[in-house]
Every structure is written in structure tokens, then in C-alpha cells.
Short mmCIF file of all heavy atoms in Angstrom, two decimals:
data_model
loop_
_atom_site.label_atom_id
_atom_site.label_comp_id
_atom_site.label_asym_id
_atom_site.label_seq_id
_atom_site.Cartn_x
_atom_site.Cartn_y
_atom_site.Cartn_z
N ILE A 1 14.36 3.19 10.77
CA ILE A 1 13.07 3.03 11.44
C ILE A 1 13.28 2.24 12.73
O ILE A 1 13.76 1.11 12.73
CB ILE A 1 12.08 2.31 10.51
CG1 ILE A 1 11.85 3.18 9.26
CG2 ILE A 1 10.76 2.04 11.23
CD1 ILE A 1 10.96 2.55 8.22
N THR A 2 12.94 2.88 13.84
CA THR A 2 13.17 2.30 15.17
C THR A 2 11.94 1.52 15.63
O THR A 2 10.82 2.03 15.56
CB THR A 2 13.50 3.41 16.18
OG1 THR A 2 14.63 4.15 15.71
CG2 THR A 2 13.82 2.84 17.54
N PHE A 3 12.17 0.29 16.11
CA PHE A 3 11.03 -0.54 16.52
C PHE A 3 11.40 -1.47 17.67
O PHE A 3 12.56 -1.65 18.00
CB PHE A 3 10.52 -1.36 15.33
CG PHE A 3 11.44 -2.46 14.89
CD1 PHE A 3 11.23 -3.78 15.28
CD2 PHE A 3 12.53 -2.20 14.06
CE1 PHE A 3 12.08 -4.80 14.89
CE2 PHE A 3 13.39 -3.22 13.65
CZ PHE A 3 13.16 -4.52 14.06
N THR A 4 10.37 -2.03 18.27
CA THR A 4 10.53 -3.05 19.30
C THR A 4 9.77 -4.30 18.83
O THR A 4 8.89 -4.23 17.97
CB THR A 4 9.97 -2.61 20.65
OG1 THR A 4 8.57 -2.26 20.49
CG2 THR A 4 10.72 -1.39 21.19
N ALA A 5 10.13 -5.45 19.42
CA ALA A 5 9.47 -6.69 19.04
C ALA A 5 9.22 -7.55 20.28
O ALA A 5 9.96 -7.46 21.26
CB ALA A 5 10.31 -7.46 18.03
N HIS A 6 8.18 -8.36 20.21
CA HIS A 6 7.86 -9.27 21.32
C HIS A 6 7.69 -10.68 20.77
O HIS A 6 6.94 -10.90 19.81
CB HIS A 6 6.58 -8.86 22.02
CG HIS A 6 6.12 -9.85 23.05
ND1 HIS A 6 6.80 -10.08 24.23
CD2 HIS A 6 5.07 -10.72 23.06
CE1 HIS A 6 6.19 -11.02 24.93
NE2 HIS A 6 5.14 -11.42 24.23
N SER A 7 8.43 -11.64 21.36
CA SER A 7 8.33 -13.03 20.95
C SER A 7 7.93 -13.90 22.14
O SER A 7 8.66 -13.97 23.13
CB SER A 7 9.67 -13.53 20.39
OG SER A 7 9.61 -14.93 20.15
N PRO A 8 6.80 -14.61 22.06
CA PRO A 8 6.38 -15.51 23.13
C PRO A 8 6.95 -16.92 22.99
O PRO A 8 6.63 -17.80 23.78
CB PRO A 8 4.86 -15.52 22.98
CG PRO A 8 4.65 -15.36 21.51
CD PRO A 8 5.78 -14.47 21.02
N ASN A 9 7.81 -17.15 21.98
CA ASN A 9 8.34 -18.49 21.74
C ASN A 9 9.31 -18.91 22.84
O ASN A 9 9.98 -18.08 23.45
CB ASN A 9 9.02 -18.55 20.37
CG ASN A 9 8.01 -18.47 19.24
OD1 ASN A 9 7.22 -19.39 19.02
ND2 ASN A 9 7.99 -17.35 18.53
N CYS A 10 9.41 -20.23 23.06
CA CYS A 10 10.19 -20.75 24.18
C CYS A 10 11.69 -20.75 23.92
O CYS A 10 12.48 -20.97 24.83
CB CYS A 10 9.73 -22.16 24.51
SG CYS A 10 9.98 -23.35 23.15
N THR A 11 12.10 -20.52 22.69
CA THR A 11 13.52 -20.46 22.37
C THR A 11 13.74 -19.45 21.25
O THR A 11 12.78 -19.01 20.60
CB THR A 11 14.04 -21.85 21.94
OG1 THR A 11 15.48 -21.80 21.82
CG2 THR A 11 13.46 -22.28 20.60
N ASP A 12 14.99 -19.06 21.04
CA ASP A 12 15.31 -18.08 20.00
C ASP A 12 15.05 -18.67 18.61
O ASP A 12 15.34 -19.84 18.35
CB ASP A 12 16.77 -17.66 20.08
CG ASP A 12 17.11 -16.95 21.37
OD1 ASP A 12 16.17 -16.55 22.09
OD2 ASP A 12 18.31 -16.78 21.66
N LEU A 13 14.54 -17.83 17.72
CA LEU A 13 14.43 -18.20 16.31
C LEU A 13 15.54 -17.49 15.54
O LEU A 13 16.32 -16.72 16.11
CB LEU A 13 13.04 -17.83 15.77
CG LEU A 13 11.84 -18.44 16.50
CD1 LEU A 13 10.55 -18.13 15.74
CD2 LEU A 13 12.00 -19.94 16.68
N LEU A 14 15.60 -17.71 14.24
CA LEU A 14 16.65 -17.12 13.40
C LEU A 14 16.09 -15.94 12.63
O LEU A 14 15.06 -16.06 11.95
CB LEU A 14 17.20 -18.17 12.44
CG LEU A 14 17.87 -19.39 13.11
CD1 LEU A 14 18.21 -20.43 12.06
CD2 LEU A 14 19.11 -18.96 13.86
N SER A 15 16.76 -14.81 12.69
CA SER A 15 16.28 -13.60 12.01
C SER A 15 16.51 -13.71 10.51
O SER A 15 17.57 -14.13 10.05
CB SER A 15 17.00 -12.36 12.55
OG SER A 15 16.65 -11.22 11.80
N ARG A 16 15.48 -13.26 9.75
CA ARG A 16 15.57 -13.19 8.30
C ARG A 16 15.36 -11.76 7.81
O ARG A 16 15.01 -11.53 6.66
CB ARG A 16 14.52 -14.11 7.67
CG ARG A 16 14.65 -15.60 7.98
CD ARG A 16 15.65 -16.29 7.08
NE ARG A 16 15.35 -16.09 5.68
CZ ARG A 16 14.45 -16.80 4.97
NH1 ARG A 16 13.76 -17.76 5.58
NH2 ARG A 16 14.26 -16.57 3.70
N GLY A 17 15.58 -10.78 8.71
CA GLY A 17 15.43 -9.39 8.32
C GLY A 17 14.11 -8.78 8.77
O GLY A 17 13.39 -9.35 9.60
N THR A 18 13.80 -7.63 8.19
CA THR A 18 12.63 -6.84 8.60
C THR A 18 11.98 -6.20 7.38
O THR A 18 12.67 -5.73 6.49
CB THR A 18 13.05 -5.71 9.56
OG1 THR A 18 13.93 -6.23 10.55
CG2 THR A 18 11.85 -5.09 10.23
N ALA A 19 10.66 -6.20 7.35
CA ALA A 19 9.93 -5.52 6.28
C ALA A 19 9.01 -4.48 6.88
O ALA A 19 8.58 -4.60 8.02
CB ALA A 19 9.13 -6.51 5.44
N PHE A 20 8.73 -3.43 6.11
CA PHE A 20 7.82 -2.42 6.62
C PHE A 20 6.96 -1.84 5.51
O PHE A 20 7.34 -1.77 4.34
CB PHE A 20 8.57 -1.31 7.35
CG PHE A 20 9.94 -1.01 6.81
CD1 PHE A 20 10.14 -0.14 5.77
CD2 PHE A 20 11.05 -1.63 7.37
CE1 PHE A 20 11.41 0.13 5.29
CE2 PHE A 20 12.33 -1.38 6.91
CZ PHE A 20 12.51 -0.49 5.85
N VAL A 21 5.75 -1.48 5.92
CA VAL A 21 4.78 -0.81 5.05
C VAL A 21 4.69 0.64 5.50
O VAL A 21 4.52 0.93 6.68
CB VAL A 21 3.41 -1.50 5.15
CG1 VAL A 21 2.31 -0.61 4.58
CG2 VAL A 21 3.43 -2.84 4.41
N LEU A 22 4.83 1.55 4.55
CA LEU A 22 4.81 2.99 4.83
C LEU A 22 3.43 3.56 4.52
O LEU A 22 2.85 3.25 3.47
CB LEU A 22 5.88 3.70 3.99
CG LEU A 22 7.31 3.17 4.18
CD1 LEU A 22 8.24 3.74 3.13
CD2 LEU A 22 7.82 3.48 5.58
N ARG A 23 2.91 4.37 5.42
CA ARG A 23 1.59 4.97 5.26
C ARG A 23 1.69 6.49 5.37
O ARG A 23 2.59 7.01 6.04
CB ARG A 23 0.62 4.43 6.32
CG ARG A 23 0.39 2.92 6.25
CD ARG A 23 -0.54 2.44 7.36
NE ARG A 23 -0.73 1.00 7.37
CZ ARG A 23 -1.67 0.35 6.69
NH1 ARG A 23 -2.54 1.05 5.95
NH2 ARG A 23 -1.77 -0.96 6.75
N ASP A 24 0.74 7.19 4.76
CA ASP A 24 0.69 8.64 4.91
C ASP A 24 -0.12 8.99 6.16
O ASP A 24 -0.54 8.11 6.91
CB ASP A 24 0.15 9.32 3.65
CG ASP A 24 -1.29 8.93 3.32
OD1 ASP A 24 -1.99 8.37 4.20
OD2 ASP A 24 -1.73 9.19 2.18
N THR A 25 -0.35 10.27 6.38
CA THR A 25 -1.04 10.69 7.61
C THR A 25 -2.47 10.16 7.70
O THR A 25 -3.01 9.99 8.79
CB THR A 25 -1.07 12.22 7.71
OG1 THR A 25 -1.64 12.76 6.50
CG2 THR A 25 0.33 12.78 7.88
N SER A 26 -3.07 9.85 6.54
CA SER A 26 -4.44 9.32 6.54
C SER A 26 -4.48 7.81 6.75
O SER A 26 -5.55 7.22 6.93
CB SER A 26 -5.13 9.65 5.22
OG SER A 26 -4.57 8.90 4.15
N GLY A 27 -3.30 7.17 6.73
CA GLY A 27 -3.24 5.72 6.89
C GLY A 27 -3.16 4.96 5.59
O GLY A 27 -3.02 3.73 5.59
N LYS A 28 -3.18 5.66 4.46
CA LYS A 28 -3.09 5.00 3.15
C LYS A 28 -1.67 4.50 2.90
O LYS A 28 -0.70 5.19 3.19
CB LYS A 28 -3.49 5.98 2.05
CG LYS A 28 -3.34 5.43 0.65
CD LYS A 28 -3.65 6.50 -0.39
CE LYS A 28 -3.39 5.98 -1.80
NZ LYS A 28 -3.64 7.04 -2.82
N ILE A 29 -1.54 3.28 2.36
CA ILE A 29 -0.22 2.75 2.04
C ILE A 29 0.37 3.51 0.86
O ILE A 29 -0.25 3.64 -0.20
CB ILE A 29 -0.30 1.24 1.70
CG1 ILE A 29 -0.71 0.44 2.93
CG2 ILE A 29 1.06 0.74 1.18
CD1 ILE A 29 -0.87 -1.05 2.67
N VAL A 30 1.59 4.01 1.06
CA VAL A 30 2.27 4.76 0.00
C VAL A 30 3.58 4.09 -0.43
O VAL A 30 4.26 4.57 -1.34
CB VAL A 30 2.56 6.22 0.43
CG1 VAL A 30 1.25 6.99 0.60
CG2 VAL A 30 3.39 6.27 1.71
N GLY A 31 3.94 2.99 0.19
CA GLY A 31 5.17 2.31 -0.20
C GLY A 31 5.62 1.31 0.86
O GLY A 31 4.89 0.99 1.80
N GLY A 32 6.84 0.84 0.69
CA GLY A 32 7.40 -0.11 1.64
C GLY A 32 8.79 -0.53 1.23
O GLY A 32 9.28 -0.18 0.16
N ASN A 33 9.42 -1.30 2.08
CA ASN A 33 10.77 -1.79 1.78
C ASN A 33 11.10 -2.95 2.70
O ASN A 33 10.33 -3.28 3.61
CB ASN A 33 11.80 -0.68 1.91
CG ASN A 33 13.07 -0.96 1.12
OD1 ASN A 33 13.12 -1.88 0.31
ND2 ASN A 33 14.09 -0.16 1.34
N VAL A 34 12.27 -3.55 2.47
CA VAL A 34 12.74 -4.65 3.31
C VAL A 34 14.21 -4.40 3.65
O VAL A 34 14.98 -3.95 2.81
CB VAL A 34 12.57 -6.02 2.60
CG1 VAL A 34 13.34 -6.05 1.28
CG2 VAL A 34 12.99 -7.16 3.50
N ASP A 35 14.56 -4.66 4.90
CA ASP A 35 15.95 -4.64 5.34
C ASP A 35 16.34 -6.10 5.54
O ASP A 35 15.90 -6.75 6.48
CB ASP A 35 16.09 -3.85 6.65
CG ASP A 35 17.53 -3.76 7.14
OD1 ASP A 35 18.39 -4.49 6.60
OD2 ASP A 35 17.80 -2.98 8.06
N GLY A 36 17.16 -6.62 4.63
CA GLY A 36 17.51 -8.02 4.67
C GLY A 36 18.54 -8.39 5.73
O GLY A 36 18.79 -9.57 5.96
N LEU A 37 19.13 -7.39 6.39
CA LEU A 37 20.11 -7.68 7.43
C LEU A 37 19.42 -8.28 8.65
O LEU A 37 18.31 -7.86 9.02
CB LEU A 37 20.87 -6.41 7.83
CG LEU A 37 21.71 -5.77 6.72
CD1 LEU A 37 22.35 -4.48 7.24
CD2 LEU A 37 22.78 -6.73 6.21
N THR A 38 20.06 -9.24 9.28
CA THR A 38 19.45 -9.91 10.42
C THR A 38 19.30 -8.96 11.61
O THR A 38 20.14 -8.11 11.85
CB THR A 38 20.27 -11.13 10.85
OG1 THR A 38 21.59 -10.71 11.16
CG2 THR A 38 20.32 -12.17 9.74
N LYS A 39 18.21 -9.13 12.32
CA LYS A 39 17.92 -8.40 13.56
C LYS A 39 17.63 -9.45 14.63
O LYS A 39 16.49 -9.66 15.04
CB LYS A 39 16.71 -7.46 13.38
CG LYS A 39 16.76 -6.59 12.14
CD LYS A 39 17.86 -5.55 12.19
CE LYS A 39 17.89 -4.74 10.90
NZ LYS A 39 19.03 -3.80 10.86
N GLN A 40 18.68 -10.13 15.08
CA GLN A 40 18.51 -11.29 15.95
C GLN A 40 17.80 -10.95 17.25
O GLN A 40 17.09 -11.78 17.83
CB GLN A 40 19.87 -11.93 16.24
CG GLN A 40 19.77 -13.31 16.87
CD GLN A 40 18.94 -14.29 16.04
OE1 GLN A 40 19.07 -14.36 14.82
NE2 GLN A 40 18.07 -15.02 16.71
N GLU A 41 17.96 -9.70 17.71
CA GLU A 41 17.29 -9.30 18.95
C GLU A 41 15.77 -9.46 18.85
O GLU A 41 15.10 -9.77 19.83
CB GLU A 41 17.61 -7.84 19.29
CG GLU A 41 19.09 -7.50 19.36
CD GLU A 41 19.60 -6.89 18.07
OE1 GLU A 41 19.24 -7.41 16.99
OE2 GLU A 41 20.36 -5.92 18.13
N ALA A 42 15.24 -9.23 17.66
CA ALA A 42 13.80 -9.30 17.48
C ALA A 42 13.27 -10.72 17.54
O ALA A 42 12.07 -10.94 17.73
CB ALA A 42 13.41 -8.66 16.15
#
């Protein structure tokens, strides 16, 4: 899952991974997952 992130903080924070909620075409939540690998860029 490809994404971008925006941080207004004055210094870098530490990445703890990424979580996502999956929706169907109507917008209903149908699942989700977490990627525990760090994404320091975000």
C-alpha cells in the first residue's frame, strides 16, 4: 500500500510502523492490518 505522510513537528520522531483500515467500494470497513516495520520517512 503506497502512501505519503506530512509531519508539522519541528524535529524527527521515531517510527513505530504503519496501520491501515481497508474499506470496500461503499466505504464500509472490511478489515485491516499493521506493518510493524519502521517507516522513518513518514
Side-chain angles (χ1 to χ4, degrees):
I1 298 176
T2 304
F3 70 99
T4 58
H6 173 69
S7 173
N9 290 291
C10 62
T11 189
D12 296 346
L13 303 187
L14 298 173
S15 174
R16 298 277 305 278
T18 314
F20 32 86
V21 164
L22 303 169
R23 299 178 183 271
D24 62 16
T25 54
S26 70
K28 176 185 175 182
I29 294 177
V30 293
N33 202 11
V34 59
D35 181 349
L37 297 178
T38 58
K39 312 292 178 185
Q40 193 56 44
E41 306 97 316

